[in-house]
Amino acid sequence: QSKTMQDLLAASVDVIPHRHAVDTLWTSQSAPVLKQIGEHFLESPSPETHVFANYRASSTLKPDAAHSVSAPMFILSSSTWAEQKNDEECLRWSDGLMERLQRYNEGGYVNETDFIRHPERARQCFSESSWSRIKTVSEQYDPDAMFSAPFDLG
């Protein structure tokens, strides 16, 4: 029996915090990005907010890699909170950080990108050729959509 992404997420309730916002981006613009993060971080409504910046001297990918977007700096924003009453404020903070960083965004990392709330972000995790390849493979080997994709390949 196939399962949707929503089914899988519902089954993970005991493992994943109920109130969690996460997002990522790759960038070559480390100085302005770190400045924007520092300014925005001071406004975080949750004490359980973390923003990781991982600098890689080389961002070369292997040809034909499914993971096809990279840049020298990887940013991961993660925020967790306990109360439903804080949902709007915490999600707004998370979205606000990504909005501030959007002009420096060269792509996202598919495993930690919030494409449930922001489905348009799935495409930024892949190069055009990789996106096209994923669609082709899906159409060829799964024409009846038996395997649930976490995002629409459109």
Side-chain angles (χ1 to χ4, degrees):
Q1 176 183 6
S2 70
K3 299 224 182 244
T4 67
M5 182 55 105
Q6 294 300 331
D7 292 337
L8 294 172
L9 289 172
S12 68
V13 165
D14 294 332
V15 180
I16 299 173
H18 293 263
R19 306 208 159 351
H20 188 215
V22 63
D23 228 319
T24 66
L25 68 86
W26 293 99
T27 187
S28 299
Q29 305 292 319
S30 57
V33 164
L34 292 174
K35 182 177 188 291
Q36 292 292 323
I37 290 170
E39 292 171 359
H40 195 71
F41 191 81
L42 295 173
E43 302 166 7
S44 173
S46 171
E48 296 182 47
T49 296
H50 310 280
V51 179
F52 301 93
N54 182 346
Y55 182 78
R56 300 160 188 214
S58 173
S59 59
T60 305
L61 297 171
K62 295 183 180 194
D64 264 357
H67 168 72
S68 55
V69 177
S70 186
M73 181 166 277
F74 174 70
I75 304 296
L76 179 134
S77 170
S78 174
S79 188
T80 304
W81 59 98
E83 303 281 335
Q84 181 177 359
K85 67 181 181 180
N86 300 115
D87 286 359
E88 185 178 331
E89 180 181 28
C90 291
L91 292 171
R92 187 174 47 247
W93 182 89
S94 181
D95 290 345
L97 176 61
M98 297 313 289
E99 288 168 15
R100 284 180 82 145
L101 301 180
Q102 185 56 41
R103 66 181 150 170
Y104 310 108
N105 189 354
E106 296 173 39
Y109 176 57
V110 71
N111 194 46
E112 299 289 347
T113 295
D114 187 353
F115 44 78
I116 302 296
R117 288 189 320 113
H118 300 286
E120 72 281 1
R121 292 186 185 163
R123 192 159 190 148
Q124 74 182 12
C125 297
F126 303 94
S127 67
E128 284 298 319
S129 62
S130 289
W131 186 264
S132 177
R133 183 174 170 212
I134 291 167
K135 282 181 64 170
T136 299
V137 168
S138 178
E139 289 165 0
Q140 181 178 354
Y141 293 102
D142 188 25
D144 299 322
M146 292 289 295
F147 297 100
S148 174
F151 45 81
D152 182 14
L153 294 171

